[in-house]
Amino acid sequence: FNHENYANKSKKKIELEIEEVTSKGDGWASLDGIEFVVRGAVPGDRVQATIRRKKGGVREAIVDSILNSQMVRIAPRCSHFGICGGCRWQDLQYEDQLGLKERMVNNALRECGLRGYEQRPIIASRESFYYRNKMEFSFGQDIEGDLQLGLHLRGRYNHVFDVLDCQLQSHCSNRIVKSVRNHATELGLSVYNLKSHNGLLRFLVIREGKATDEIMVNLVVSDYPNSDVDEVVRRVVGEIREITTFLVTLHTGKAQTAVGEREFVVKGTGSISEKCGGVHYGISSNSFFQTNTYQASILYRLISDMTSNLTLQTVLDLYCGTGGISLHLAKNAGQVVGVEQIVEAVDDARRNACRNDVSNCTFIAEQAETAVDIMIDRGMQFDLVVADPPRAGMHKSVLQALGKANAPVILYVSCNPQSLGADVKKLCETGYKLNFIQPVDLFPQTPHCEAVAQLSRI
């Protein structure tokens, strides 16, 4: 084995024993002191793989064949498996997926030096397919210039493939995608180009109320009002009768996001309703709501149970979104203060409180790092802090402020074990102890996992 020759060669084939799972759900192996990240492999596999590239001192490889495996492989349900960057574990039994997620969460915390906590068994999802209430699809072009509407290849955010039958949201969602694609193609509409920044069609976002059967469609375009866009909307709404509300979002900026400068409601009210854990919610186009309604109800009940024996005079709910956690905790608290920087989500949260006759929740439209500092300066004290930040975790100033706030208990909810581990470690450095971690699977068929960490003040 020649290290120098190997290091300079790509597309070299090699046999590897997969020892561990990475934070992104890939296999990890080591051979003669060289680390490999192997796509399509899991611990216990012996594989033949092709080396693709070297990145950050680690060689990346992709599986050619599995020579031996401890985990049983099954036939994936989706025809896009292996192409799509989403359901990368559809060829694994669901029980094995759950075991890998427990392992990933524990590995991430231990890599941050965290020890002595209880890791509770993961809570499985009630539904392992057709569970998502929101999907975001992108427009693109194939090599012949024909319009495409679908999802991205893994790691290739400028490459889109046509989705024909996604197994994650619903059958109706697949019909909507097909309808928009067909009518946009028939009308000869252009696709937004990431290099030239010309073209019309950018994104299609579909949201569903799983408990209410309400459906929201949001078509994101670079020019509106536009008669061609209106014609697409007219045709799709006429064809898919289940659509409750339809929006067109104008997005003229270069950022590759499905959020624009202005929304136009062309059918319905511009929002949908959902019922989760006995609470009724109104959801607008850009509001955060857990993407798995079934599991969100379990998650919220879990958080309520974790706090049932606490004396909750005042609760701080950071990154509160539309009030999902706040409204559940309000039953046992004197006052709940929810903080969220997205104004539309705060408006939804306030309406949700009224909708459920909850009078002890106050929602603030502000960045968490600013709001916490202001509240501490005003001498506010909290019996419990709940934080459910974006994947990147909490801003360092929020972590510092929480250390000063001195709340007896913090519940940290995260969909990213790495940022969870890093932030929990920083909180422990300010005088907290990690008591337990509770994984909850909100994302079957994928390597993603939600987890709740409970910390108490030492």
Side-chain angles (χ1 to χ4, degrees):
F1 187 82
N2 188 307
H3 285 262
E4 185 176 353
N5 289 342
Y6 169 75
N8 294 323
K9 289 183 179 180
S10 61
K11 297 187 178 180
K12 180 182 178 67
K13 295 188 181 296
I14 190 171
E15 286 191 13
L16 294 168
E17 296 277 357
I18 307 302
E19 305 169 43
E20 197 47 87
V21 59
T22 71
S23 60
K24 295 184 178 180
D26 297 312
W28 180 91
S30 177
L31 181 62
D32 291 348
I34 297 178
E35 294 183 43
F36 299 85
V37 171
V38 188
R39 292 188 183 185
V42 293
D45 286 349
R46 180 170 181 80
V47 302
Q48 183 177 53
T50 298
I51 309 305
R52 294 297 188 188
R53 60 178 177 171
K54 177 182 177 182
K55 184 178 180 181
V58 177
R59 277 69 174 178
E60 293 186 353
I62 189 168
V63 171
D64 295 323
S65 61
I66 299 175
L67 306 177
N68 192 24
S69 177
Q70 294 178 8
M71 294 186 191
V72 176
R73 292 311 204 278
I74 60 176
R77 284 176 40 163
C78 182
S79 61
H80 305 302
F81 180 76
I83 300 172
C84 179
C87 300
R88 303 209 315 271
W89 282 354
Q90 254 192 56
D91 61 339
L92 296 174
Q93 297 181 104
Y94 187 49
E95 294 75 11
D96 288 334
Q97 296 181 31
L98 295 174
L100 286 171
K101 293 184 183 191
E102 284 185 341
R103 192 167 177 169
M104 290 171 65
V105 171
N106 194 45
N107 287 348
L109 299 186
R110 288 184 173 276
E111 286 171 5
C112 292
L114 296 168
R115 299 288 189 277
Y117 59 89
E118 174 192 357
Q119 174 151 356
R120 297 182 175 179
I122 190 169
I123 298 174
S125 178
R126 192 188 89 179
E127 304 289 340
S128 57
F129 289 97
Y130 295 123
Y131 59 85
R132 286 187 67 95
N133 55 44
K134 178 183 177 183
M135 290 286 289
E136 181 179 305
F137 302 94
S138 299
F139 287 93
Q141 290 178 302
D142 61 18
I143 57 175
E144 296 177 352
D146 294 331
L147 180 147
Q148 294 175 304
L149 175 59
L151 300 171
H152 293 272
L153 303 177
R154 183 185 173 191
R156 303 292 298 277
Y157 299 106
N158 58 338
H159 286 74
V160 174
F161 69 92
D162 278 331
V163 167
L164 304 179
D165 187 22
C166 178
Q167 303 284 311
L168 287 187
Q169 190 167 26
S170 69
H171 296 292
C172 186
S173 174
N174 287 323
R175 289 169 50 218
I176 293 170
V177 171
K178 180 180 179 181
S179 179
V180 173
R181 182 193 298 119
N182 288 346
H183 292 304
T185 300
E186 289 173 5
L187 293 167
L189 302 193
S190 61
V191 172
Y192 186 81
N193 186 285
L194 295 177
K195 293 182 179 179
S196 66
H197 302 292
N198 295 318
L200 180 62
L201 303 175
R202 303 191 69 163
F203 298 98
L204 177 71
V205 184
I206 302 172
R207 302 190 79 151
E208 297 181 347
K210 291 293 186 180
T212 62
D213 294 327
E214 296 183 13
I215 297 177
M216 172 197 299
V217 179
N218 184 11
L219 183 61
V220 183
V221 298
S222 64
D223 175 53
Y224 197 78
N226 183 295
S227 59
D228 289 333
V229 173
D230 288 335
E231 180 61 17
V232 170
V233 174
R234 186 188 70 79
R235 293 186 184 187
V236 173
V237 168
E239 186 173 314
I240 312 295
R241 297 294 184 177
E242 295 94 327
I243 296 174
T244 309
T245 189
F246 203 121
L247 301 91
V248 176
T249 294
L250 174 65
H251 178 18
T252 61
K254 294 181 179 180
Q256 191 64 351
T257 63
V259 180
E261 306 93 72
R262 187 178 176 188
E263 291 180 351
F264 299 82
V265 179
V266 294
K267 179 184 179 179
T269 62
S271 65
I272 59 173
S273 61
E274 180 65 298
K275 185 178 180 180
C276 179
V279 178
H280 294 266
Y281 297 92
I283 303 170
S284 57
S285 61
N286 295 319
S287 296
F288 171 78
F289 193 83
Q290 292 287 356
T291 56
N292 186 334
T293 303
Y294 311 123
Q295 285 300 90
S297 63
I298 292 175
L299 177 67
Y300 297 155
R301 186 172 68 244
L302 178 72
I303 291 172
S304 297
D305 291 345
M306 288 178 181
T307 59
S308 61
N309 62 342
L310 301 177
T311 302
L312 301 180
Q313 294 301 317
T314 308
V315 176
L316 174 61
D317 182 10
L318 296 175
Y319 315 93
C320 67
T322 57
I325 295 174
S326 295
L327 296 176
H328 279 79
L329 292 180
K331 302 171 186 176
N332 300 322
Q335 180 187 18
V336 179
V337 179
V339 176
E340 171 61 54
Q341 67 175 354
I342 299 175
V343 175
E344 294 85 354
V346 171
D347 291 339
D348 282 339
R350 291 168 178 163
R351 285 191 287 264
N352 289 335
C354 293
R355 182 180 285 110
N356 292 277
D357 295 323
V358 175
S359 59
N360 60 336
C361 283
T362 302
F363 295 101
I364 301 171
E366 185 59 84
Q367 290 184 329
E369 49 267 37
T370 303
V372 176
D373 280 338
I374 292 173
M375 286 185 277
I376 290 176
D377 288 344
R378 291 178 179 176
M380 292 186 67
Q381 294 183 332
F382 301 98
D383 303 292
L384 170 70
V385 174
V386 180
D388 187 3
R391 282 190 62 81
M394 288 194 282
H395 193 279
K396 62 180 181 180
S397 65
V398 179
L399 295 167
Q400 293 169 355
L402 290 181
K404 298 176 185 176
N406 208 32
V409 177
I410 296 176
L411 292 182
Y412 192 131
V413 185
S414 175
C415 61
N416 184 347
Q418 283 62 50
S419 58
L420 172 66
D423 286 354
V424 167
K425 181 181 180 181
K426 292 174 184 174
L427 288 171
C428 289
E429 291 171 352
T430 68
Y432 282 90
K433 175 188 176 184
L434 175 60
N435 297 322
F436 64 79
I437 187 80
Q438 173 66 73
V440 183
D441 188 20
L442 270 69
F443 316 100
Q445 315 307 327
T446 79
H448 301 295
C449 180
E450 200 85 4
V452 182
Q454 188 202 65
L455 299 94
S456 59
R457 194 72 177 175
I458 298 175

